[in-house]
Amino acid sequence: MAAPRWRALGLWIRGNGQGLGSLLSPVSKPFCSAAAASTSVNAQRLAERLRAQKREQDTNKKPVSTNPVQRRVQEIVRFTRQLQRVHPNVLAKALTRGILHQDNNLVVVNKPYGLPVHGGPGVQLCISDVLPILAKMLHGHKAEPLYLCHRLDKETTGVMVLAWDKDMAHQVQELFRTRQVVKKYWAITVRVPMPSAGVVDIPIVEKEAQGQQQHHKMTLSPSYRMDNGKMVKVRHSRSAQVAVTRYQVLSSSLSSALVELQPITGIKHQLRVHLSFGLDCPILGDHKYSDWNRLAPQKLSMGTLKKLGLEQSKARYIPLHLHAQQLILPALGSRKEDLNLVCKLPHFFVRSLRRLGLEMPNQNQNENDEAECLGAQ
C-alpha cells in the first residue's frame, strides 16, 4: 500500500505545486518531533558523560606540592603524558624554536625529553612523523620532507641532525658509521666514577633478564673474569658487540657527579650500560639499568633524595639525565670546515645540578682538561 501512496505523491507534487506545503506538513511533523526527541536524548547523554568525566578528573586531581622540586617533577610527568597528545603541527613549531643550525644541507634541532625518534607499539607521535611538516615550515609548502641522520633514545635530549635530501643523509650516516663524528654527552651519575677519567672497553650483548617480569636488556660481555685472583679469558659470545666509551668527571660531590661521555662506538644503550654495570655509577633517572634483575624505580640514597627534595616513592618520576651536548661533524659537501654543534642543557638537568651541588664547567677549561687527559694517555 505504501508504493501507490509515493507514486500519487510524486504525481500530485508535479501537478499541483500549491499543495506542496499542505501535503508535506502532516508527514514532516512526526519526523521532526522524532528527530528533536533523539537530539534531546543524545545531548542529555553527552552532558551526563561530560559531568562524569569532570567528577573523575576532580577525584584524581592531586594537590599541587609546595616543594619546588616535587612541583617540577609533577610538571615533567604531566609534560611527558601530554607530549603524545600534541598535534604534529604544534610539535613541529616547537622544534623550529629549538633549531641550533640550518644551512642548505642540514637542519640541527634540540631534541626534547620524552619524544621518540621512530614510531613503534604505543607510540602516537614521534620526530619522524613531523619531518614533512617541519620542512614545510622552514622552506614553504613545496618543500620535500627532511631525513633523519642518526637516532637518540626517547629519554635523551640534545643535538639531533637532519638532512634536506636523502643523499646528504646517507653521507652523514656514513660519517657516524665510520666513527668520524665526535659525540659528547653529559650525564649526572649516582655515585662518582673511579678513576675520574678513563676508557671503558667492554663488549655489550643483549640478554634476557630473569626476574618477576621477563624482559631483555643490554649488558656487559667481558672477555676476561677474575677466578681465585687470576685473570681468566672467557668464551666469546658471538652476539656481543665491541663497545668503547671515553669518560671524564667534570664535577663531583660525595654522592653524585657530572660526567662527560664520548662514545667511540655506537651500540644500543652503550653509555647507560657502561656507566651502570662497568663503573657502578648509573645515570640519575635510569630506571632500566640501575638494577639488572628488576624493572623498578631507581633506588637512591637518603642523602641524594634529601638534596633533590624527594621521597623514594617519587623517584620513579625522575627523568633520565643524559644529554647529547656536542657533535662535531667533519667538512662535508660545500662546507670546508668542521661543524661544531653545541646544545644547552634542559631546565630539569640544570636544576638537578644545582640541587646536588655540582658545578657547571667552563667550556674552555673543559677543553684544556681533555687535551691534558688525552696527552697523558
Side-chain angles (χ1 to χ4, degrees):
M1 298 298 292
R5 182 182 302 174
W6 283 111
R7 285 197 296 271
L9 176 62
L11 292 172
W12 196 90
I13 290 173
R14 288 193 295 271
N16 188 358
Q18 294 178 351
L20 182 62
S22 59
L23 178 64
L24 289 181
S25 57
V27 179
S28 301
K29 285 180 181 179
F31 282 106
C32 291
S33 58
S38 175
T39 303
S40 175
V41 170
N42 291 337
Q44 185 176 358
R45 289 177 180 174
L46 179 60
E48 291 175 355
R49 190 180 307 153
L50 291 174
R51 282 194 292 268
Q53 290 177 356
K54 182 67 167 60
R55 286 194 299 269
E56 184 179 355
Q57 290 175 358
D58 292 340
T59 302
N60 296 332
K61 189 179 293 183
K62 297 180 179 179
V64 179
S65 174
T66 56
N67 186 303
V69 178
Q70 291 186 352
R71 193 163 60 244
R72 180 58 183 164
V73 169
Q74 292 174 0
E75 290 175 1
I76 292 174
V77 173
R78 187 169 61 253
F79 169 74
T80 305
R81 290 173 179 171
Q82 291 175 348
L83 199 57
Q84 290 298 312
R85 297 193 293 269
V86 169
H87 192 277
N89 289 0
V90 177
L91 176 56
K93 188 67 176 177
L95 291 177
T96 62
R97 291 194 291 266
I99 289 179
L100 306 173
H101 172 83
Q102 183 179 355
D103 57 31
N104 293 331
N105 296 317
L106 303 174
V107 176
V108 184
V109 298
N110 178 5
K111 179 193 169 299
Y113 173 82
L115 183 65
V117 174
H118 298 286
V123 175
Q124 299 176 4
L125 186 62
C126 60
I127 287 182
S128 59
D129 289 341
V130 302
L131 293 183
I133 303 172
L134 179 60
K136 287 179 172 60
M137 287 183 175
L138 298 176
H139 271 193
H141 290 287
K142 295 184 179 180
E144 294 293 325
L146 286 156
Y147 294 86
L148 292 166
C149 296
H150 63 115
R151 66 182 300 275
L152 291 175
D153 289 342
K154 173 183 174 180
E155 296 88 0
T156 304
T157 58
V159 181
M160 170 150 249
V161 182
L162 311 172
W164 280 112
D165 59 70
K166 188 177 292 186
D167 290 339
M168 179 55 62
H170 286 164
Q171 292 182 51
V172 176
Q173 290 165 4
E174 185 65 13
L175 292 177
F176 276 94
R177 190 187 68 81
T178 55
R179 305 174 187 173
Q180 298 182 56
V181 179
V182 177
K183 300 172 288 184
K184 295 182 181 180
Y185 292 73
W186 282 7
I188 297 179
T189 61
V190 178
R191 297 183 289 275
V192 183
M194 293 296 292
S196 60
V199 176
V200 182
D201 184 356
I202 307 176
I204 290 177
V205 67
E206 186 171 16
K207 288 185 178 180
E208 182 177 351
Q210 300 297 328
Q212 293 182 348
Q213 299 177 347
Q214 287 190 344
H215 56 282
H216 288 80
K217 287 183 181 181
M218 308 302 288
T219 188
L220 300 178
S221 179
S223 302
Y224 295 87
R225 64 179 175 85
M226 295 299 294
D227 188 5
N228 294 327
K230 295 182 179 180
M231 190 79 73
V232 179
K233 187 174 179 62
V234 298
R235 187 176 179 180
H236 177 70
S237 173
R238 292 184 178 180
S239 56
Q241 297 174 286
V242 174
V244 182
T245 302
R246 180 181 291 138
Y247 74 92
Q248 180 182 2
V249 176
L250 303 179
S251 177
S252 65
S253 62
L254 291 176
S255 59
S256 58
L258 172 63
V259 183
E260 182 177 83
L261 304 159
Q262 186 175 341
I264 308 302
T265 54
I267 308 304
K268 177 183 176 182
H269 297 169
Q270 172 181 321
L271 300 179
R272 298 165 67 178
V273 172
H274 273 174
L275 280 173
S276 185
F277 302 146
L279 296 172
D280 193 29
C281 297
I283 299 175
L284 180 64
D286 193 346
H287 308 291
K288 182 170 186 175
Y289 287 104
S290 292
D291 189 294
W292 165 249
N293 290 315
R294 298 192 310 154
L295 282 176
Q298 187 177 46
K299 290 275 188 178
L300 297 173
S301 67
M302 291 300 296
T304 300
L305 289 170
K306 186 176 181 180
K307 288 180 180 179
L308 293 174
L310 296 173
E311 300 175 356
Q312 180 59 48
S313 60
K314 302 296 182 182
R316 70 179 68 243
Y317 301 121
I318 299 176
L320 182 72
H321 286 64
L322 180 62
H323 178 70
Q325 196 263 345
Q326 184 179 17
L327 278 183
I328 302 178
L329 288 172
L332 189 65
S334 59
R335 182 168 39 81
K336 305 302 180 184
E337 299 177 349
D338 291 352
L339 182 60
N340 186 17
L341 304 163
V342 180
C343 183
K344 66 179 182 179
L345 295 169
H347 293 304
F348 73 84
F349 199 114
V350 175
R351 286 190 175 94
S352 296
L353 285 175
R354 292 172 181 166
R355 279 275 177 172
L356 295 170
L358 300 172
E359 297 180 358
M360 184 83 70
N362 181 288
Q363 190 65 29
N364 294 331
Q365 182 64 38
N366 181 35
E367 292 174 357
N368 294 336
D369 292 344
E370 184 181 70
E372 293 175 3
C373 176
L374 294 175
Q377 293 177 356

